[in-house]
Amino acid sequence: MKVITSLLDKFLKRSLSAKEYHDIFTRLGYEVEEFYPIVRSEGFVLTKTLECKKHPNADSLSHCKIEHEHEELDVVCGGANVKSDQWVIYAPVGSRVGDVVLSKKDLRGIESNGMILSLSEITNIPKEALEKNVQHDILQASETKIFNKTLEEFIYESNLDGYVFDITILPDRQYATNYFTLAKEITAFLNFEDENKIFLDSVNSNLEPSIAKENITLGEHAKGILSSIISYKSSPNTPQYIKNVLYMSNIKVNNNIIDVINFIHVITGNLIYIAPKTKEISLVNNFLTLSSIKHNVDLLKTDCNLLTDSLDEYEENELNLVGVVSDFTINPMSVSELDSTFGLKFARGTNQPHSLKRSIARLIKLLLKHGYIEYYSNVDGLIMEEELVKLKIDLNKMKRVIGFDFDLPRVLKILSSLKFEIKVSEDHLEVIVPDYRKDIKTNQDFTEEVVRAIGTDKIVATEVLKNPNPINMDPSETNVRNIYKALSDYEFFEAKNYYLDNGENVSKFNLFDIEDELILKSKFNFLNDTYRLSLMNSLIQNFVTNYKIKVEEKLEDTIPMFEIANIFAKGYSDTHLGIIIDDIYLSQEDNPALFLKELLLSILGNSFLITKDQLSIYEFDKEQNLFNPYNAIKLSYKNKLIAVLGEVHPKILRENKLIRLDKVKRKLYYLELRFNRLEK
Amino acid sequence: MMDIENNLSQILNEVNNDLENIKNLEELKQLRAKYIKLEILNQVKKQLKETQDLDEKKHLGKILSNFNQSLNLAFSTKQNELENSFFLIEKENELIEGTFDLEKVKDPLRFCYHPLTLLGNKVKEFFEQQLNYEFKFGNEVEDEEYNFDILNIPKNHTARSMHDSLYFRNNKMLRTHSTNITARKLLESNSNENFFYSIGSVFRNDDNDATHSFQFNQVDFFATSEKKVVSISNLKSVLDALLKYIFETELETRYRISYFPFTEPSFEVDVKFLSSSEDKQDKWIEVLGSGMINDAVLYNTKKNPSIVNGFAGGVGLERLAMLKWNIDDIRHFYTNHTFFIKKLNRRGEH
């Protein structure tokens, strides 16, 4: 969620610095991804256009004169809405706009001194986030508002002061994706005096229904409905103010009505629907069908489709505002579908209930308070009381889990101010969870809230928890450790490779005839879709990569490498050791394959107590194209093939460009052992 | 039509004659180039394209593909023959009986662990020598049940989508975290006293770039007990000690309340690093996730949450290695450049 600090300041009734906000968000468990000032550049000034006319040599440019430091300057401007006698924000020559430092520039025959700026040029709002017609407009400062004011004052009054914080609100805290709750929590956790009462008001919904009760059939999942006729009043600064907030919150700007809905959602967390007053309203079950996924959601259907239709054709000041009170759970799919409609961002993985209880009534009061509506009437009070979550907390157990002494009365005070009703007895707490905290269902959930109130910085580290019991070594791990030990006597580099490879390679390097390789359901990374059946190809590739580097650096180094990794297929799992060496690993007269054989025998003997006479060693058949059949062998133990080793076939060398025509650049020798099933 | 057929078979004869005289791979390459460019082949292809008669089209296609097959076969047979005669010198296989004296190549000082193994060994030392926790070896290919269900990850959680996780056609999957070990071990253990850790590869459906990798390594540990106090407090001591052991220096840590389905409360832990950039601003960098094991997980693994509790934590090994050794790109760990591996192994030698 993107939070604008100047707006949050208003709900907190105090002004906090960026650092303070950073610390507070972190403390409350809202991870700060990044933050930046809304207005991103300095050196801009507020000034007035003296004269503006069409550029003689360009259709879409204007030639303006502005006053700057008692001088009259020419500025060429591309904004469609620029005109004479208008207050604008001006970036003089030498100031920085985005990544560009402005200089004098000839634009189709007129020398332009600096720029007149648009909203996206003075803020961090990306151009794409702006409406098409605003993208190329300059930012107009209404004269009545800013006459004789500084740029800072203009920025402040246009709500462009402060910072945008991009915070991650995790799936269990979806209740907090709005300014009200954030303000409420900050107030409570920092022990601010709670001056802001709006959101703590309980709503008295003892009002007359606008739709006759007998005409309403509640859907299976609805708990009640609220409806009211409102008239929407646009106050002078509302549309621009709301639009700015929406821009900076990454919410798509639509028309004024939808903007208000989105604005209210981001402020209060309540989702509301507004329908034209004149239209018939009927209640249908399972109305919301998005991308052919049906949800058990009860909404009021009107003959105006609120999710897709533009409301421009309806008069703004006469609308029927309806909301649904329900305990349905919006699953992540529908939330993301709603995202695309309303342009809102939710954290992924949420399955938090999105309760609209009391939302409309509360909303109406709010709208009234802020002057968005002039009057309301006939709010239906058909709310069924939701069962509140009641917890009985064993104090001793909770203290044991937390593990250190903490100030319980202080914690209880914080939680009480967040509307938790808590009764304390000698060894228990009886807690009634407020209805907006859908995430708290169990004693553990409540413990987390307690830890949050204590403050994670106050957690005391006590003793390290040691295992008092004797431990056994996992046999597979013993094997791996033995092999590392055996190899560590020689010059080897250990490699680690990706386990997936493309299917063709996988079957080609299937050294042990393992059946039924594992193939991914959908293609990943264009070629890597199959679990490899041997380590041979990876190690050859590792060799080739290193070989190229050595050639470039004119180094004649040997590149002996090994890898230990698990191999899986359907019905097969084992751990493999692959070793690759080249022909300069040993002196010329020695056969490296023979070294590999002897190394293998020593590993088998020392780590697995398998002697040479327990093994059958035999030649490769001539048809296979992986090893030189005259210099390669297979080894089996108890009639099971356990290892292959030998000189890599010239075909493979050629494919990897280690042979150029008839010249071999470097010969390779390879060993692979599967060892987990070898009994000790 | 017969003409074409005759022509092509005549060409095949010529090819075979020419191949007889080829002595090495270079000549073979040139000969192949010559036959690929034959004018008659282009004519046949053109005719195949232009003809309207379906039967004729079929027939032509067959002739052409037969010809190509025969041609390729002739060349590849020759290539095999040449390669075998050049590179595979027929000789007695000395590997059957031969021996080799290993002593003459032993050189322990030049052995180099992969950096992730180096760091993994340090983690192993910590858990085994300092805490006496048992190493648990784990499967990378896993059932959804152990990767998700037992760990209290809801059915509709996005991590379960193909978009985030890699599934095989037989409904197995690549584990997305090594916490599957916690699920397996807790379920198979009849005791309430469990102190385990594991290290292994995990997989996400991510692109590979400087900071993301579809495959990476994770250390995972957990402790449950009825007899001993398992608390947030001693979780913090374990984590602080682990980080200190790995980075070999005193560190400032910061605990943030977070959310994981398998722990409640959950914490993410940040470590304070002095930035290497010019501004010298200290930076908090997130290194691990942890928390008290969720009662639902204990319940799913047949433990009684009212008498047993536990903690668990997980940390990405690559991330730790990158921070410890100032490595700027996670892909370095999988390119296996020997100079990179050597540098980290011989760090203390100078």
Side-chain angles (χ1 to χ4, degrees), chain A residues 31 397 401 444 456 460 464-465 467 469 477 481 489 492 494 499 519 521 546 566 597 654 661, chain B residues 25-26 83 95 107 112 117 124 128 131-133 140 167 215 232-233 255 286 293 295 305 338:
Chain A
E31 194 178 343
K397 181 164 189 209
V401 167
Q444 271 189 318
T456 48
V460 180
V464 173
L465 182 64
N467 175 16
N469 313 309
E477 176 66 6
R481 290 188 192 190
D489 278 342
F492 282 120
E494 189 192 0
Y499 290 6
I519 305 170
K521 261 187 188 159
N546 279 296
N566 296 334
K597 178 194 164 191
R654 177 182 300 286
L661 295 174
Chain B
L25 291 159
E26 175 62 32
E83 276 180 348
L95 296 182
D107 195 354
C112 288
T117 308
K124 287 178 181 176
E128 284 168 23
L131 300 187
N132 196 39
Y133 285 22
E140 283 100 352
Y167 289 88
Q215 175 179 336
I232 293 169
S233 216
Y255 288 69
E286 181 186 318
I293 297 176
D295 286 349
T338 53

Side-chain angles (χ1 to χ4, degrees), chain A residues 22 77 154 167 220 261 273 376 394 401 412 461 467 509 535:
Chain A
H22 193 287
C77 175
F154 168 73
I167 58 174
E220 203 185 326
I261 296 175
Y273 302 91
Y376 68 96
D394 178 340
V401 167
L412 296 182
N467 175 16
F509 292 96
L535 313 178

Side-chain angles (χ1 to χ4, degrees), chain A residues 77 154 161-162 207 262 287 307 311 346 377 388 420 436 519 560 650:
Chain A
C77 175
F154 168 73
D161 59 324
L207 298 159
N262 283 332
F287 157 68
L307 296 173
L311 295 183
F346 286 80
S377 65
L388 294 171
F420 285 83
Y436 74 98
I519 305 170

Side-chain angles (χ1 to χ4, degrees), chain A residues 163-208:
Chain A
Y163 289 78
V164 177
F165 270 75
D166 190 355
I167 58 174
T168 300
I169 294 183
L170 291 165
D172 63 333
R173 299 199 180 276
Q174 287 305 302
Y175 69 87
T177 48
N178 60 74
Y179 283 78
F180 272 19
T181 311
L182 289 175
K184 185 157 53 175
E185 289 202 333
I186 293 171
T187 306
F189 285 109
L190 297 190
N191 284 325
F192 289 166
E193 195 192 328
D194 188 1
E195 294 171 50
N196 196 330
K197 295 276 190 251
I198 312 171
F199 44 76
L200 298 179
D201 281 353
S202 61
V203 175
N204 177 2
S205 52
N206 188 15
L207 298 159
E208 284 177 38

Side-chain angles (χ1 to χ4, degrees), chain B residues 49-285:
Chain B
K49 211 172 163 187
E50 282 168 0
T51 183
Q52 296 298 324
D53 183 348
L54 266 184
D55 282 342
E56 195 187 334
K57 220 180 176 91
K58 247 185 194 166
H59 187 63
L60 268 177
K62 208 172 168 189
I63 293 174
L64 194 63
S65 86
N66 281 344
F67 172 78
N68 281 337
Q69 270 179 19
S70 315
L71 194 70
N72 283 339
L73 184 69
F75 274 101
S76 64
T77 314
K78 185 70 187 179
Q79 183 170 344
N80 263 337
E81 194 184 295
L82 281 175
E83 276 180 348
N84 288 348
S85 65
F86 270 95
F87 303 117
L88 302 180
I89 294 140
E90 228 171 299
K91 58 178 182 184
E92 184 135 342
N93 193 333
E94 64 169 319
L95 296 182
I96 305 280
E97 292 302 328
T99 58
F100 182 88
D101 177 15
L102 289 175
E103 286 303 320
K104 65 180 185 183
V105 281
K106 278 195 179 168
D107 195 354
L109 287 178
R110 298 180 74 84
F111 179 82
C112 288
Y113 287 105
H114 189 278
L116 294 175
T117 308
L118 270 184
L119 199 61
N121 287 345
K122 203 140 179 73
V123 172
K124 287 178 181 176
E125 266 168 43
F126 173 78
F127 278 108
E128 284 168 23
Q129 292 167 18
Q130 313 264 318
L131 300 187
N132 196 39
Y133 285 22
E134 188 170 319
F135 184 89
K136 179 78 185 110
F137 198 82
N139 289 347
E140 283 100 352
V141 174
E142 189 52 283
D143 299 323
E144 264 195 83
E145 188 190 352
Y146 292 99
N147 196 68
F148 292 132
D149 296 347
I150 293 175
L151 295 171
N152 194 34
I153 296 172
K155 284 274 182 228
N156 55 6
H157 197 282
T158 46
R160 290 185 183 240
S161 73
M162 301 267 278
H163 184 77
D164 279 16
S165 304
L166 299 166
Y167 289 88
F168 293 112
R169 289 184 192 166
N170 65 343
N171 289 329
K172 296 257 180 193
M173 64 181 300
L174 282 165
R175 63 173 175 185
T176 56
H177 48 193
S178 51
T179 316
N180 69 327
I181 307 296
T182 311
R184 277 187 178 274
K185 196 62 215 173
L186 275 179
L187 199 60
E188 75 189 38
S189 158
N190 294 321
S191 161
N192 286 335
E193 311 300 309
N194 296 292
F195 300 84
F196 290 95
Y197 80 101
S198 73
I199 304 177
S201 294
V202 302
F203 304 81
R204 306 276 165 90
N205 196 351
D206 249 337
D207 286 337
N208 274 12
D209 61 30
T211 52
H212 296 87
S213 178
F214 86 90
Q215 175 179 336
F216 58 97
N217 285 267
Q218 224 174 38
V219 178
D220 206 89
F221 67 90
F222 69 96
T224 66
S225 181
E226 182 187 343
K227 295 177 194 148
K228 296 203 82 165
V229 176
V230 185
S231 68
I232 293 169
S233 216
N234 50 25
L235 169 64
K236 181 173 177 174
S237 15
V238 165
L239 294 175
D240 282 355
L242 170 68
L243 292 170
K244 186 180 157 189
Y245 196 85
I246 286 172
F247 289 103
E248 298 168 277
T249 171
E250 289 291 341
L251 285 168
E252 211 178 313
T253 52
R254 178 173 80 181
Y255 288 69
R256 273 185 294 110
I257 293 271
S258 186
Y259 170 73
F260 307 108
F262 29 91
T263 50
E264 183 79 34
S266 307
F267 304 97
E268 278 182 309
V269 184
D270 302 337
V271 171
K272 194 174 186 174
F273 287 93
L274 189 70
S275 165
S276 51
S277 66
E278 279 173 17
D279 57 9
K280 289 281 173 233
Q281 283 272 311
D282 291 342
K283 281 214 171 93
W284 288 102
I285 296 175

